C-alpha cells in the first residue's frame, strides 16, 4: 500500500478526533439559535430594489421631506341604499371611533360634509349628503363614494412593521367594538395589509415546509440505509448546518423576505444531497477492507467531486450579487455562505458522527440494488443506439424553452413578468378579492408622486398655486389616471363644502382671493401639510392615482407627465425655475420587473461561466466541461417551456430557477464525470467507464434528485403564489435534469468519444476502484 495522501491524513485526523469535532460544533449551536431567532423580517415590496438605484435615491430623498404615511381603505357595501340614515349614522360613529386612535386620521365624503352640517338627525340630512357626494367627481374618482359603496380612507404613521401591525390591530379592535351591521363587513384595502400578510407568510413558511421535508428525509434515509444511526447522523448534521447558515445571515445583516425564505431550504436540500453522496460511498465497504481504512478512502474519494460541486454551486449563487433586486442579491450571497458551512459540516461533523454512532456499512446487493444494476447495465447500449435522437431531441426542447422565455420577434412575446405585490397574494385570500373590487371601483391602485421644487416661499404664492392647479387638472385628464391630489385639492374641497363648487376661479384676482389664507390653513389642516413643505414653503407634491403596471408603462406615464409639466412651465413664469420629478413606492415596485430579466440572464451567464471554470480545473477537458452542463441547461430551458405552457410567469421567486437548478444539479454531473474519468484515464473503454460511473454514482444521482425535488416540492404548500410556483417548477426541473443525466449526457459522450460498445462479453462488469 502506498503512502497516504494529505487528504487521507486529514480525514484520518478528523475521525481520530471525532469527539473534539462534535463538541466544537455543538458548542456553536446555542449562539446560532439565538442569532436565528433575531432575524428581522421585511415584506415591503418597494424595498426590493437596491438602495443605490437612482429611483430609490430620489424616492428616499422625497420621503425625507414628505413622509409617505401609511394608508388603508375600508370599503363598505351596504345592502340597499348607501345613503340610508342608519348607514350614515353607523359610518359616522365608526369614523369618530377611528379618529380617537393615536396617530390615525380617517377621511371620507361624510366626514367632509359634516364640517358643513354636523347633525345627522336633522331632517333631510341623507338627501343633502347624497347631493353633496354625487355633486363632485372627486369622491367617485377617489373611490370614496360609489353606486353601491362608501369608503373611509385611514392614514397613519408607522415607521416599522411593529408599529404598522399595532395600528392595524387597533383598527380591527375599533371596528369590532362599533356596531356596523347596516354597513356590512368591510373590505380591507391597502399596502399595509399586503405587507402584513406577506411578512406573516414568510415567517410561517419555514415552519410549514421544514417538517414536510424532514419527514421525507427520515423516510428516504431509512429506505436507503435501513439504519437509525445513519438517520441520526444525517439529521444532526443538517440541523447544525441550517442553524449556522441562518445565524450567519443575522451576523452580516440580512433580512427575511419573500425571497430569502428559500435560503434554509436550498442549504438543507443541497446539504442533504451531499450527505447522501458521502454516505452512499461509505456503506460500499469491501469485505476484505477494515472500516477505518475504508472510511478514510470513501471521504478522500468523494472529496474532489463534492468540493467541486459545492464550490460551483456556491459561486453560482454568489453570482446573484449582480442583481439590482436587493432580496435576490442577499439570497444569493446568503445561500453561498450557507453552502460554505455545509462543506465544513459534511467533511468534519458528519464523518465524526458516522463513527461515534457506529453507522453500519453494507456488503452485498439488495433486491432494489439488483434491479438498478440491470438498468445500469442496459443504459450504455440503449444510449448508444439512440444517441442522435436523444441529443437532437434535447436540443429541440432547449430551443423551444429559449423561445418560450425570450420570445420570437413577430411570433411569440417574451414570458410575462409579475411584479405587483397584489399578485403575490393567494387568489383565494379575501384581501386579494378586496383589492380587486377596490381597483375596479377607482380604476387604479398605484400611487405615484410628483415632487415639485422651487424657490423657498414660492409654493404658497398665488401664481405658483394656480400653475400647479392647472397642471393637476391636465394630469387628471390623462388616460389611465383616476385622480390627482395636490396642494389645491383641499382648497377646492373647502369651496365645495361652502357651496361654491369644486373648481377654483380661473381669473388671477379671484384665484388669489381664494388662496389668500393658505398659510393660515397650513397651521390648522394636517392633511394640507402633507402636500406642502412647511419648513421651506418651496416644495410641494402631487399624488397621482393610476392603474398598476410595469416599468415601461410607468416610464410612458412619466414621459407624458414631463410633457405636461414643460407645457405648463412655458405658460407660467412662476414655474420657470421649478423642477418636477416622478417618485414613489409604486415606481420602485414596477422597477422590479425591469430588473427581473437582467437578473436571470446576467446571473445565469455568470453562474455558467464560474461552473465552467470549476469543471476546467476538475476535468481538464473542453468537451467534458461543455457536456457536463448539458443536463442542467436542458432542465432549465425545458422548465421555462413548461412554465410558458402552464401560464406561470416570471417573478421574484421563479426568476431564481436558472441559478438554483444550474447551481444544484451540476452536483450530479460533477460526480458523473469524476467517476467516469476515474477509470477512463487508465485506458478503460467508454462503455466500461460509463458502467463504472453508473454503478458507483448512479444510485446517488437518483437519490439526490429525489431529495432536491421533494425539498422544493414542499414549497407547493406555501400560501405565497410565487413560492408555490417556484417549488413546483423547480421540482420539475430536477426531474428533467435526472432524465438528461441518464440519456442526453451518455448520448453526447458516445458521439464525442466516437467509440462503440465493447463486443459482447467484453464489458462483463464495472471497472471498480475500491478501498483496497
Amino acid at each position: 500500500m502506498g503512502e497516504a495522501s494529505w487528504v487521507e491524513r486529514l480525514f484520518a485526523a478528523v475521525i481520530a478526533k471525532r469527539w473534539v469535532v462534535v463538541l466544537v460544533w455543538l458548542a456553536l449551536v446555542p449562539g446560532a439559535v439565538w442569532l436565528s431567532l433575531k432575524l428581522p423580517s421585511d415584506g415591503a415590496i418597494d424595498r426590493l430594489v437596491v438602495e443605490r438605484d437612482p429611483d430609490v435615491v430620489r424616492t428616499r430623498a422625497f420621503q425625507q421631506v414628505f413622509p409617505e404615511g401609511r394608508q388603508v381603505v375600508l370599503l363598505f357595501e351596504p345592502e340597499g341604499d348607501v345613503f340610508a340614515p342608519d348607514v350614515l349614522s353607523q359610518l359616522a360613529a365608526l369614523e369618530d371611533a377611528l379618529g380617537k386612535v393615536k396617530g390615525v386620521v380617517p377621511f371620507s365624503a361624510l366626514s367632509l360634509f359634516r364640517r358643513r352640517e354636523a347633525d345627522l338627525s336633522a331632517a333631510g340630512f341623507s338627501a343633502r349628503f347624497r347631493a353633496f357626494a354625487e355633486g363632485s367627481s372627486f369622491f367617485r374618482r377617489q373611490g370614496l363614494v360609489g353606486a353601491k359603496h362608501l369608503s373611509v380612507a385611514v392614514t397613519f404613521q408607522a415607521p416599522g412593521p411593529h408599529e404598522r401591525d399595532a395600528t392595524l390591530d387597533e383598527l380591527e379592535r375599533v371596528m369590532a367594538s362599533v356596531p356596523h351591521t347596516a354597513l356590512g363587513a368591510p373590505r380591507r384595502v391597502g399596502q399595509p395589509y399586503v405587507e402584513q400578510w406577506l411578512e406573516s407568510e414568510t415567517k410561517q413558511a419555514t415552519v410549514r415546509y421544514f417538517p414536510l421535508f424532514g419527514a421525507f428525509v427520515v423516510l428516504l434515509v431509512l429506505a436507503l440505509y435501513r439504519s437509525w444511526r445513519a438517520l441520526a447522523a444525517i439529521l444532526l448534521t443538517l440541523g447544525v448546518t441550517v442553524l449556522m447558515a441562518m445565524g450567519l445571515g443575522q451576523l452580516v445583516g440580512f433580512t427575511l423576505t419573500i425571497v430569502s425564505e428559500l435560503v434554509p431550504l436550498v442549504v438543507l436540500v443541497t446539504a442533504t444531497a451531499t450527505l447522501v453522496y458521502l454516505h452512499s460511498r461509505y456503506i460500499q465497504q469491501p469485505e476484505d477492507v477494515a472500516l477505518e481504512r475504508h472510511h478514510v478512502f470513501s471521504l478522500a474519494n468523494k472529496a474532489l467531486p463534492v468540493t467541486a460541486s459545492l464550490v460551483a454551486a456556491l459561486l453560482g449563487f454568489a453570482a446573484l450579487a449582480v442583481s439590482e433586486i436587493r432580496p435576490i442579491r442577499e439570497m444569493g450571497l446568503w445561500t453561498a455562505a450557507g453552502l460554505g458551512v455545509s462543506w465544513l459540516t459534511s467533511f468534519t461533523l458528519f464523518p465524526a458522527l458516522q463513527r461515534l454512532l457506529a453507522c453500519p456499512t453494507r456488503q452485498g446487493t439488495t433486491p432494489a440494488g439488483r434491479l438498478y444494476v440491470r438498468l445500469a447495465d442496459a443504459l450504455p447500449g440503449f444510449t448508444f443506439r439512440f444517441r442522435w435522437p436523444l441529443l437532437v431531441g434535447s436540443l429541440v426542447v432547449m430551443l423551444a424553452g429559449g423561445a418560450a422565455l425570450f420570445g420570437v420577434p413577430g411570433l411569440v412575446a417574451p414570458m410575462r413578468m409579475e411584479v405587483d405585490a397584489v399578485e403575490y397574494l393567494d387568489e383565494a385570500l379575501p384581501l386579494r378579492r378586496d383589492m380587486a373590487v377596490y381597483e375596479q371601483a377607482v380604476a387604479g391602485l398605484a400611487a405615484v408622486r410628483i415632487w415639485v421644487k422651487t424657490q423657498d416661499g414660492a409654493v404658497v404664492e398665488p401664481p405658483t398655486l394656480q400653475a400647479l392647479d392647472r397642471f393637476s387638472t391636465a394630469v387628471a385628464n390623462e388616460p389611465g389616471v383616476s385622480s390627482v391630489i395636490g396642494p389645491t385639492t383641499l382648497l377646492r374641497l373647502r369651496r365645495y363644502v361652502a357651496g361654491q363648487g369644486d373648481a377654483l376661479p380661473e381669473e388671477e384676482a379671484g384665484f388669489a382671493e381664494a388662496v389668500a389664507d393658505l398659510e393660515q390653513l397650513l397651521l390648522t389642516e394636517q392633511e394640507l401639510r402633507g402636500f406642502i413643505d412647511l419648513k421651506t414653503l418651496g416644495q410641494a407634491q402631487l399624488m397621482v392615482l393610476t392603474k398598476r403596471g410595469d416599468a415601461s408603462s410607468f416610464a410612458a406615464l412619466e414621459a407624458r407627465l414631463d410633457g405636461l409639466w414643460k407645457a405648463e412651465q412655458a405658460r407660467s413664469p412662476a414655474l420657470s425655475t421649478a423642477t418636477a420629478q416622478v417618485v414613489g413606492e409604486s415606481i420602485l415596485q414596477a422597477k422590479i420587473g425591469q430588473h427581473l430579466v437582467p437578473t436571470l440572464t446576467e446571473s445565469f451567464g455568470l453562474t455558467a461561466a464560474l461552473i465552467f471554470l470549476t469543471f476546467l480545473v476538475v476535468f481538464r477537458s473542453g468537451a467534458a466541461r461543455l457536456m457536463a452542463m448539458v443536463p442542467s441547461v436542458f432542465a432549465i430551458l425545458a422548465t421555462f417551456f413548461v412554465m410558458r405552457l402552464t401560464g406561470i410567469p416570471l417573478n421574484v421567486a421563479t426568476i431564481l430557477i436558472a441559478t438554483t437548478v444550474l447551481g444544484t444539479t451540476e452536483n450530479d454531473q460533477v460526480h458523473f464525470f469524476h467517476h467516469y474519468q476515474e477509470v477512463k484515464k487508465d485506458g478503460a473503454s467508454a462503455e466500461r467507464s460509463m458502467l463504472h460511473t453508473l454503478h458507483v454514482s448512479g444510485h446517488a444521482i437518483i437519490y439526490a434528485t429525489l431529495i432536491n425535488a421533494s425539498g422544493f416540492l414542499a414549497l407547493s404548500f406555501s400560501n405565497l403564489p410565487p413560492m408555490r410556483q417556484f417549488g413546483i417548477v423547480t421540482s420539475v426541473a430536477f426531474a428533467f435534469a435526472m432524465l438528461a443525466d441518464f440519456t442526453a449526457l451518455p448520448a453526447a459522450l458516445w458521439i464525442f468519444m466516437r467509440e462503440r460498445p465493447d463486443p459482447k462479453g467484453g464489458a462483463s462488469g464495472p471497472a471498480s476502484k475500491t478501498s483496497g
Side-chain angles (χ1 to χ4, degrees), residues 255-267:
T255 303
L256 286 175
T257 66
I258 188 175
V259 179
S260 60
E261 74 165 87
L262 293 172
V263 172
L265 178 63
V266 173
V267 172

Side-chain angles (χ1 to χ4, degrees), residues 209 261-262 265 711-718 723-724 726-727:
Y209 64 66
E261 74 165 87
L262 293 172
L265 178 63
F712 284 91
L713 195 59
L715 289 174
S716 62
F717 292 92
S718 173
M723 292 296 103
R724 189 164 60 237
F726 177 79

Side-chain angles (χ1 to χ4, degrees), residues 612 616 619-628 752:
F612 183 83
L616 172 63
F619 301 129
R620 304 179 187 277
S621 166
R625 294 194 302 272
L626 292 175
M627 286 187 292
F752 169 74

